[in-house]
Amino acid sequence: MAITSGTPWESQRMPHYPRLKKGGHFDVVVIGGGITGLSAAFFLKQAGKKVCLLERTHIGSGDTACTTAHLTYVTDIRLAKLAKTFGEQQARAFWQGGIAAIDAIETIAREHNIRCQFRRVPAFLHAQLHGNRGETKQLEYEANLAGKLGFDARFVKSAPLVDRPGILFSNQAKFHPMAYLAGLAKAVHGGGCVISAETEAKEIEAHPLRVKSEGLEIDCDYLVIATHVPMMGITGLVSATLFQTKLYPYSTYAVGANIPRGKLAEMSLWDTSDPYYYLRIDRGTKSDYAIFGGADHKTGQAEDTNAPFDDLIHTLKQLLPEAEVDRRWSGQVIETNDGLPLIGETAERQFVATGFAGNGMTLGTLAGMMARDAVMKYENPWQKLFAVNRKKLRGGAWDYLKENIDYPYYYLKDRLAPVEADSTRDVKRGSGQVVKIDGKRVACSRDAAGKLTSVSAVCTHMGCLVHWNSAESSWDCPCHGSRFKPDGSVIAGPAETPLEAVKLPPAAKRPKRVPNTSPKR
C-alpha cells in the first residue's frame, strides 16, 4: 500500500474567511488561528468582547493540524516529578487544568453541535516498549499518588496490546481536531467579531496598541499572541530573546494505519521511554484506524528525517502485524525547561501561550480560558503556576543549560563545516543542499519538476544556518527550531522574517571546473 504524506484530518472542509478590507478598533486582537487562538477568541466573545482574529494563511494551517489529537490531563512530565519539583498541590492543579480543558471541549462541541467525533476513552501509561521492563514499582507509586490527589487512576499488571505494567486513566478523550476548529471558527465569526485569513501581523506598536498588516492598521485594547512560538510583539528584544531560551522545539512524527475492525477497543496508550511512543485507536466502518507517533528530536538536528518514520513503522508492525500503513506526517512540539507551559503576559496588555509539549489540544484550550481571564481581569487558578516570568528553575536548571548549548554549538559548527555542494547542479530533484556561492552560503532546493529555488541559508532569527528536512521539504534551524518553506517563507517561529531570496549568477549554475591532473603524454 502506498504511503502518502499528510494527516487523517486533511479531508475536513474548513471555512474560508476573507482578508480584512479596512482597519478599525477591536477590544482584542488575537494572532493565530489554531487551537489556542480560536479558543481564546471563543471565550472572549462569550465574555462580550469584540474580537478580531488574524491568521497568516488559513484556519488550522499550523501545528494544530499535525496533532494526533489525544485529549488527556496526563502530562509528559511524570506526576511524581511534578510533585517533587513543585509540590503536590501544584501538580494537582496542572492536571486539573487538563480536566477543565477536556470538559470545555466536550461542552462546546455539544452546545454548538460541532460534529468532531468527541469520544471519552480509557488511556494507558505503560512501561517502555524497548529495553528494561523493571518499572512496576514506579508505576504503582504513580498510580497511588494520582489516586491520592483525586484522579481516577489505577495500576494494571498488563496494559492492552503491549502486555506491560501500566496505569489506567479513565475518562480521557479524543476528537477530530480540524472538525472541532471549523465549528469553533463558525461560532467566533460574526456578531461584531471577525476572523481574517491571509492576514499576517507584520508590525506591532505599543502606543496605541496596534497591529499593522500590509496597509491595514488594527487598533485594540489587548493583544493575544497565539502563534506556536510567540512573536516578539511589544516585548523588548532582550526580554524576547531571554524568553526564547526557555523554549525547546522538537520535531515529532506519526504514521496512520488501517487495522482489523474490532481487534482493539477505542483507547490511547503511551509508554515511559524518552522520547515516548503514543498510540491512538479509532473505530471505523470497515476497518479501524491506528495512529502511532513518537521518535522526537530537536528540530533541525536529525541527519535523516526519514529514519523516524522507519522506526515508527517497524515498531507498529511489531505491535500490530496486520497494520497497513497509509499515511505519515510530522509536527512540532515546544517544551520548556521545567515541564510547565508558559502562559501569561510578556508585556502589559500582551498575552502569550506556548510550551505545551505533548498536551497541545488541552493546554491550548486552557490557554484560551486564561486569555479571557487576563483580559477580563478575573482571578485564575493557573495564573501563577504557568506565569511566563517565573524565575525559579528548580529541577529544570540542568535542562535549561543543556538545551541552550545548541545556539553557540550549531552557530559555530555550521560555519566551520564544509558546504554540502559545490554547485547547484549537485542539488537533485526533490532535495535541498547548502551551496557556497560568492563566499555566501545559499540554501538551494529543487522541486520534483526540476525548478531551482535559492534563498539565504542564514536563519533570520539569530543567524544560525538552516538544514534541509528531506521528509517535509523544508529548511529547519537547529538552534531555535524555526522552519521555512523552500521559498524562504516562515512555517514556524521564532523567526518572523522570511529567508532572503538569492538571485544566482549564471556561473553558479554551472558545475565547478576540476583541473585536468592527468599526466601529459
Side-chain angles (χ1 to χ4, degrees), residues 4-269:
T4 61
S5 295
T7 74
W9 330 122
E10 289 183 343
S11 60
Q12 173 65 40
R13 185 174 181 180
M14 301 299 289
H16 173 72
Y17 298 100
R19 188 176 186 275
L20 278 179
K21 294 182 179 179
K22 62 179 181 178
H25 182 276
F26 291 84
D27 296 324
V28 184
V29 167
V30 176
I31 301 175
I35 186 73
T36 305
L38 282 167
S39 296
F42 175 85
F43 291 121
L44 285 163
K45 180 179 181 179
Q46 276 196 325
K49 292 298 182 182
K50 183 181 177 184
V51 181
C52 176
L53 185 147
L54 307 178
E55 167 53 46
R56 181 174 58 194
T57 52
H58 56 84
I59 295 301
S61 60
D63 275 274
T64 298
C66 300
T67 180
T68 51
H70 296 251
L71 295 174
T72 179
Y73 56 73
V74 182
T75 53
D76 285 6
I77 183 171
R78 299 276 81 83
L79 183 63
K81 185 176 180 180
L82 278 174
K84 182 178 179 181
T85 304
F86 301 102
E88 290 187 356
Q89 297 309 311
Q90 286 77 10
R92 176 194 283 126
F94 193 1
W95 280 29
Q96 286 176 333
I99 292 176
I102 297 170
D103 288 347
I105 292 170
E106 183 177 30
T107 300
I108 292 169
R110 181 179 65 250
E111 292 184 350
H112 291 266
N113 195 29
I114 302 175
R115 298 179 180 179
C116 60
Q117 303 166 29
F118 181 94
R119 298 280 191 282
R120 292 281 181 173
V121 296
F124 296 86
L125 167 66
H126 59 81
Q128 58 187 293
L129 289 175
H130 304 308
N132 180 26
R133 299 189 185 185
E135 302 177 65
T136 300
K137 289 185 178 180
Q138 180 61 32
L139 288 166
E140 287 179 330
Y141 175 80
E142 291 258 349
N144 291 333
L145 177 60
K148 172 186 172 183
L149 297 181
F151 301 101
D152 188 356
R154 64 181 176 86
F155 174 79
V156 293
K157 292 182 178 179
S158 178
L161 181 65
V162 297
D163 190 25
R164 282 163 170 74
I167 306 171
L168 165 61
F169 295 96
S170 302
N171 214 30
Q172 307 303 293
K174 60 186 182 67
F175 70 158
H176 188 303
M178 299 305 283
Y180 179 71
L181 283 195
L184 205 56
K186 291 175 183 177
V188 168
H189 192 70
C193 294
V194 174
I195 294 177
S196 177
E198 299 179 9
T199 307
E200 183 176 2
K202 296 282 190 180
E203 185 180 349
I204 299 172
E205 296 179 348
H207 304 291
L209 191 54
R210 175 176 295 160
V211 179
K212 293 185 176 182
S213 174
E214 299 175 3
L216 293 177
E217 293 187 350
I218 308 162
D219 293 345
C220 60
D221 300 325
Y222 202 95
L223 178 66
V224 175
I225 298 178
T227 51
H228 190 54
V229 175
M231 304 166 60
M232 183 170 71
I234 58 174
T235 308
L237 179 60
V238 174
S239 295
T241 303
L242 180 61
F243 181 79
Q244 178 60 43
T245 66
K246 302 175 183 179
L247 304 179
Y248 315 140
Y250 279 77
S251 294
T252 186
Y253 298 80
V255 297
N258 291 292
I259 60 174
R261 193 174 192 277
K263 181 177 179 65
L264 294 168
E266 287 192 298
M267 61 181 167
S268 296
L269 303 99

Side-chain angles (χ1 to χ4, degrees), residues 323-352:
E324 297 180 354
V325 177
D326 65 348
R327 288 184 176 274
R328 69 176 213 175
W329 69 96
S330 70
Q332 190 184 63
V333 296
I334 306 297
E335 299 186 5
T336 66
N337 61 283
D338 59 9
L340 302 185
L342 293 162
I343 306 174
E345 288 191 339
T346 51
E348 186 179 1
R349 297 187 296 151
Q350 176 174 285
F351 185 96
V352 306

Side-chain angles (χ1 to χ4, degrees), residues 363-382:
L363 290 178
T365 302
L366 183 64
M369 301 181 200
M370 294 178 66
R372 172 203 59 201
D373 292 351
V375 172
M376 303 301 294
K377 300 190 183 304
Y378 296 156
E379 287 293 325
N380 184 282
W382 302 283

Side-chain angles (χ1 to χ4, degrees), residues 407-425:
Y407 175 61
Y409 173 76
Y410 279 96
Y411 186 89
L412 294 173
K413 172 181 176 289
D414 290 343
R415 279 164 172 73
L416 295 174
V419 292
E420 298 170 323
D422 296 320
S423 165
T424 59
R425 293 285 181 90

